[in-house]
Amino acid sequence: MEINRKQRGILVVISGFSGSGKGTVIQSLLNRYESFYALSISATTREPRNFEEDGREYFFKTKEEFEKMIAKDELIEYALYVENYYGTPKEYVQNQLDAGKDVILEIEIQGALKIKEMFPDTLLLFLTPKDAETLKERLVKRGTEQPEVIDARLLRASEEALGVGAYDYLIINDTIEECVTEVHSVIQNEHRKVSRNEEFINRMKEELKSFSKGE
Protein backbone atom coordinates (compact mmCIF):
# COMPACT_ATOMS: atom_id res chain seq x y z
CA MET A 1 0.00 0.00 0.00
CA GLU A 2 1.23 3.50 -0.84
CA ILE A 3 1.67 5.81 2.14
CA ASN A 4 1.07 8.90 0.04
CA ARG A 5 1.55 9.08 -3.69
CA LYS A 6 1.02 12.86 -3.53
CA GLN A 7 4.18 13.42 -1.51
CA ARG A 8 6.90 15.40 -3.26
CA GLY A 9 8.70 13.43 -5.90
CA ILE A 10 12.20 12.02 -5.53
CA LEU A 11 15.09 13.19 -7.67
CA VAL A 12 16.65 10.01 -9.07
CA VAL A 13 19.98 9.99 -10.87
CA ILE A 14 20.71 6.94 -13.00
CA SER A 15 24.28 6.63 -14.17
CA GLY A 16 26.26 3.87 -15.77
CA PHE A 17 29.19 3.12 -18.02
CA SER A 18 28.69 4.00 -21.67
CA GLY A 19 27.19 0.77 -23.05
CA SER A 20 25.53 -0.26 -19.78
CA GLY A 21 22.09 0.07 -21.37
CA LYS A 22 20.90 2.81 -19.04
CA GLY A 23 19.08 4.67 -21.81
CA THR A 24 17.07 1.58 -22.75
CA VAL A 25 16.30 0.80 -19.10
CA ILE A 26 15.09 4.34 -18.46
CA GLN A 27 12.84 4.37 -21.53
CA SER A 28 11.37 1.00 -20.55
CA LEU A 29 10.80 2.28 -17.00
CA LEU A 30 8.94 5.32 -18.33
CA ASN A 31 6.85 3.20 -20.71
CA ARG A 32 5.87 0.66 -18.06
CA TYR A 33 5.26 3.06 -15.17
CA GLU A 34 4.27 6.24 -16.98
CA SER A 35 2.24 7.75 -14.12
CA PHE A 36 5.14 7.50 -11.64
CA TYR A 37 8.00 9.16 -13.49
CA ALA A 38 9.13 12.15 -15.50
CA LEU A 39 12.35 12.19 -17.47
CA SER A 40 14.63 15.18 -17.15
CA ILE A 41 15.99 15.80 -20.61
CA SER A 42 19.63 16.84 -20.57
CA ALA A 43 21.26 19.43 -22.79
CA THR A 44 24.40 18.36 -24.65
CA THR A 45 26.85 19.58 -27.26
CA ARG A 46 27.47 16.13 -28.75
CA GLU A 47 26.11 15.26 -32.19
CA PRO A 48 22.75 13.41 -32.26
CA ARG A 49 22.75 9.76 -33.25
CA ASN A 50 20.56 8.63 -36.17
CA PHE A 51 17.52 7.76 -34.02
CA GLU A 52 17.70 10.80 -31.72
CA GLU A 53 15.59 13.95 -31.92
CA ASP A 54 16.13 17.35 -30.34
CA GLY A 55 13.87 17.75 -27.30
CA ARG A 56 13.24 14.02 -26.97
CA GLU A 57 16.51 12.28 -26.07
CA TYR A 58 18.47 15.51 -25.50
CA PHE A 59 18.37 19.23 -26.15
CA PHE A 60 21.18 19.44 -28.69
CA LYS A 61 23.14 22.68 -28.31
CA THR A 62 26.17 24.29 -29.85
CA LYS A 63 29.08 24.97 -27.53
CA GLU A 64 28.21 28.68 -27.60
CA GLU A 65 24.54 28.03 -26.73
CA PHE A 66 25.51 25.73 -23.86
CA GLU A 67 27.95 28.22 -22.40
CA LYS A 68 25.22 30.90 -22.45
CA MET A 69 23.06 28.53 -20.36
CA ILE A 70 25.92 28.20 -17.89
CA ALA A 71 26.33 31.97 -17.70
CA LYS A 72 22.59 32.44 -17.03
CA ASP A 73 22.60 29.80 -14.25
CA GLU A 74 19.95 27.77 -16.09
CA LEU A 75 21.48 24.38 -15.22
CA ILE A 76 21.39 22.31 -12.03
CA GLU A 77 24.71 20.83 -13.03
CA TYR A 78 26.93 20.42 -16.05
CA ALA A 79 30.07 18.53 -16.92
CA LEU A 80 32.50 17.93 -19.77
CA TYR A 81 32.50 14.28 -20.88
CA VAL A 82 34.58 12.95 -23.81
CA GLU A 83 34.99 16.53 -25.13
CA ASN A 84 31.26 17.37 -24.98
CA TYR A 85 29.17 19.31 -22.47
CA TYR A 86 26.21 17.67 -20.70
CA GLY A 87 23.89 19.50 -18.28
CA THR A 88 20.52 19.41 -16.48
CA PRO A 89 18.05 22.30 -16.98
CA LYS A 90 16.53 23.52 -13.67
CA GLU A 91 12.94 24.62 -14.18
CA TYR A 92 11.44 21.41 -15.55
CA VAL A 93 12.92 19.30 -12.76
CA GLN A 94 11.53 21.44 -9.94
CA ASN A 95 8.05 21.63 -11.49
CA GLN A 96 7.80 17.84 -11.83
CA LEU A 97 9.03 17.17 -8.28
CA ASP A 98 6.47 19.62 -6.89
CA ALA A 99 3.76 17.77 -8.83
CA GLY A 100 4.69 14.51 -7.09
CA LYS A 101 6.56 12.86 -9.96
CA ASP A 102 9.86 11.07 -9.44
CA VAL A 103 12.24 12.78 -11.84
CA ILE A 104 14.78 10.58 -13.60
CA LEU A 105 18.11 12.11 -14.59
CA GLU A 106 20.50 10.18 -16.82
CA ILE A 107 23.89 11.74 -16.15
CA GLU A 108 27.48 10.68 -15.58
CA ILE A 109 29.26 10.36 -12.23
CA GLN A 110 30.78 13.84 -12.10
CA GLY A 111 27.37 15.48 -12.53
CA ALA A 112 25.65 12.99 -10.20
CA LEU A 113 27.96 13.81 -7.33
CA LYS A 114 27.44 17.54 -7.86
CA ILE A 115 23.67 17.04 -7.63
CA LYS A 116 24.00 14.89 -4.50
CA GLU A 117 26.06 17.63 -2.91
CA MET A 118 23.46 20.29 -3.71
CA PHE A 119 20.41 18.08 -3.04
CA PRO A 120 21.32 15.44 -0.39
CA ASP A 121 17.97 13.65 -0.76
CA THR A 122 18.83 12.65 -4.33
CA LEU A 123 18.76 8.89 -4.93
CA LEU A 124 21.81 7.68 -6.89
CA LEU A 125 21.56 4.44 -8.91
CA PHE A 126 24.44 2.99 -10.93
CA LEU A 127 23.79 0.51 -13.74
CA THR A 128 26.42 -1.86 -15.07
CA PRO A 129 26.66 -5.01 -17.20
CA LYS A 130 27.70 -8.18 -15.42
CA ASP A 131 31.36 -7.84 -16.49
CA ALA A 132 33.80 -5.70 -18.50
CA GLU A 133 33.77 -7.98 -21.56
CA THR A 134 30.01 -7.60 -21.88
CA LEU A 135 30.46 -3.83 -21.68
CA LYS A 136 32.93 -3.85 -24.57
CA GLU A 137 30.69 -6.14 -26.66
CA ARG A 138 27.73 -3.78 -26.23
CA LEU A 139 29.77 -0.76 -27.30
CA VAL A 140 30.99 -2.56 -30.42
CA LYS A 141 27.55 -3.94 -31.35
CA ARG A 142 26.00 -0.49 -31.01
CA GLY A 143 27.79 0.41 -34.23
CA THR A 144 27.56 4.17 -33.73
CA GLU A 145 31.19 5.03 -32.96
CA GLN A 146 34.68 4.57 -34.38
CA PRO A 147 37.13 2.21 -32.60
CA GLU A 148 39.08 5.12 -31.10
CA VAL A 149 35.89 6.50 -29.53
CA ILE A 150 35.07 3.07 -28.09
CA ASP A 151 38.58 2.90 -26.63
CA ALA A 152 38.05 6.36 -25.07
CA ARG A 153 34.75 5.22 -23.54
CA LEU A 154 36.36 2.10 -22.05
CA LEU A 155 39.17 4.21 -20.60
CA ARG A 156 36.58 6.55 -19.16
CA ALA A 157 34.72 3.56 -17.68
CA SER A 158 37.84 2.47 -15.80
CA GLU A 159 38.02 5.97 -14.28
CA GLU A 160 34.29 6.01 -13.48
CA ALA A 161 34.57 2.70 -11.64
CA LEU A 162 36.49 4.55 -8.94
CA GLY A 163 33.43 6.65 -8.13
CA VAL A 164 30.75 3.97 -7.96
CA GLY A 165 31.15 3.69 -4.19
CA ALA A 166 29.45 7.08 -3.78
CA TYR A 167 26.15 5.72 -5.15
CA ASP A 168 23.23 4.43 -3.10
CA TYR A 169 22.51 1.31 -5.18
CA LEU A 170 24.34 -0.79 -7.75
CA ILE A 171 22.06 -2.57 -10.22
CA ILE A 172 23.25 -5.21 -12.71
CA ASN A 173 21.65 -4.83 -16.13
CA ASP A 174 21.70 -8.39 -17.41
CA THR A 175 18.20 -8.49 -18.88
CA ILE A 176 16.16 -5.33 -19.49
CA GLU A 177 12.90 -6.62 -17.98
CA GLU A 178 14.48 -7.70 -14.71
CA CYS A 179 16.54 -4.52 -14.47
CA VAL A 180 13.49 -2.28 -14.98
CA THR A 181 11.56 -4.15 -12.30
CA GLU A 182 14.44 -3.80 -9.86
CA VAL A 183 14.94 -0.08 -10.53
CA HIS A 184 11.23 0.60 -9.99
CA SER A 185 11.23 -1.41 -6.76
CA VAL A 186 14.24 0.45 -5.38
CA ILE A 187 12.71 3.86 -6.12
CA GLN A 188 9.31 2.98 -4.65
CA ASN A 189 10.91 1.55 -1.51
CA GLU A 190 12.76 4.83 -1.13
CA HIS A 191 9.36 6.54 -0.77
CA ARG A 192 8.75 4.46 2.36
CA LYS A 193 11.80 5.68 4.23
CA VAL A 194 10.89 7.36 7.51
CA SER A 195 13.00 10.39 6.58
CA ARG A 196 10.80 10.98 3.52
CA ASN A 197 7.51 10.70 5.43
CA GLU A 198 7.79 13.29 8.17
CA GLU A 199 4.50 14.93 7.17
CA PHE A 200 2.65 11.61 7.44
CA ILE A 201 4.27 10.79 10.78
CA ASN A 202 3.48 14.20 12.25
CA ARG A 203 -0.14 13.91 11.15
CA MET A 204 -0.43 10.49 12.79
CA LYS A 205 1.03 11.91 15.99
CA GLU A 206 -1.59 14.67 16.04
CA GLU A 207 -4.44 12.26 15.32
CA LEU A 208 -3.30 9.86 18.05
CA LYS A 209 -3.35 12.66 20.62
CA SER A 210 -7.16 12.60 20.43
CA PHE A 211 -7.19 9.10 21.94
CA SER A 212 -5.20 10.26 24.95
CA LYS A 213 -7.79 13.00 25.46
CA GLY A 214 -10.65 10.52 25.37
CA GLU A 215 -12.13 11.89 22.17
Side-chain angles (χ1 to χ4, degrees), residues 114-208:
K114 285 181 181 178
I115 289 180
K116 186 74 169 182
E117 183 177 344
M118 291 186 293
F119 307 101
D121 284 345
T122 301
L123 177 63
L124 301 185
L125 310 181
F126 195 90
L127 269 59
T128 178
K130 60 184 179 180
D131 53 42
E133 188 60 36
T134 299
L135 179 66
K136 183 176 180 179
E137 288 175 3
R138 289 180 181 178
L139 286 171
V140 172
K141 288 180 180 178
R142 194 158 66 182
T144 58
E145 286 138 354
Q146 297 299 316
E148 58 269 24
V149 176
I150 292 174
D151 290 342
R153 293 192 181 278
L154 290 171
L155 177 61
R156 176 65 173 170
S158 68
E159 296 168 352
E160 289 176 326
L162 301 176
V164 175
Y167 279 66
D168 298 304
Y169 292 90
L170 177 69
I171 299 176
I172 306 299
N173 180 18
D174 196 13
T175 66
I176 294 296
E177 291 300 311
E178 290 180 359
C179 186
V180 169
T181 298
E182 186 173 357
V183 169
H184 179 67
S185 178
V186 166
I187 297 171
Q188 296 314 304
N189 283 337
E190 188 72 12
H191 274 282
R192 295 168 173 81
K193 279 190 172 181
V194 169
S195 60
R196 294 188 186 272
N197 287 279
E198 291 182 3
E199 182 179 344
F200 176 87
I201 293 167
N202 290 334
R203 178 170 58 82
M204 284 294 292
K205 286 178 180 178
E206 289 302 313
E207 291 175 355
L208 288 168

Side-chain angles (χ1 to χ4, degrees), residues 58-82:
Y58 289 93
F59 295 113
F60 292 100
K61 304 290 183 181
T62 64
K63 183 179 179 182
E64 291 73 21
E65 289 172 334
F66 197 101
E67 289 178 345
K68 283 182 180 178
M69 294 178 73
I70 296 172
K72 293 180 180 179
D73 195 30
E74 295 176 353
L75 301 167
I76 292 176
E77 57 76 36
Y78 67 93
L80 192 63
Y81 176 73
V82 192

